[in-house]
Amino acid sequence: PPSVSAEGNHNWMGDDESKLTIQVFGWVGFAVTVTFFLLTYGFKLIEYIDSCFRGNYEPCGDDMMIDFSAVKSISTYIPQVRAPDHFNFPLI
């Protein structure tokens, strides 16, 4: 505990000790805060970044082993934009 010196000085820590204490508490507090945020949000961040590079599609149902080109009754619609002033062919 601090004690009053003969000169009436109430400082019980020197300047070097005070700076060291502030630095130690500062870095420890910073490390604890970073660790907390990494543990709290780190896994979500990794999942989000991973989802940007990997697909998450899961098919439902089974493959019926029928080729699209083998079914004669299937017709498709391909939308086209006609621009007669600019192109000689329709844009797909």
Side-chain angles (χ1 to χ4, degrees):
S3 60
V4 179
S5 64
E7 296 90 25
N9 189 359
H10 293 284
N11 292 336
W12 58 284
M13 265 201 268
D15 290 337
D16 293 337
E17 291 174 322
S18 178
K19 288 180 185 178
L20 178 66
T21 304
I22 290 171
Q23 286 180 350
V24 169
F25 278 119
W27 284 112
V28 169
F30 178 74
V32 168
T33 304
V34 168
T35 303
F36 170 76
F37 279 107
L38 284 177
L39 291 176
T40 304
Y41 301 111
F43 295 115
K44 292 287 185 185
L45 180 65
I46 290 171
E47 287 178 3
Y48 175 74
I49 292 172
D50 188 44
S51 71
C52 292
F53 296 101
R54 294 185 188 198
N56 56 1
Y57 173 74
E58 294 181 14
C60 60
D62 295 327
D63 186 8
M64 298 178 72
M65 306 305 283
I66 300 173
D67 294 332
F68 181 81
S69 59
V71 180
K72 300 296 181 194
S73 63
I74 294 178
S75 63
T76 60
Y77 171 73
I78 300 174
Q80 299 177 354
V81 176
R82 297 200 183 272
D85 297 337
H86 300 291
F87 301 102
N88 295 329
F89 50 87
L91 299 176
I92 297 179

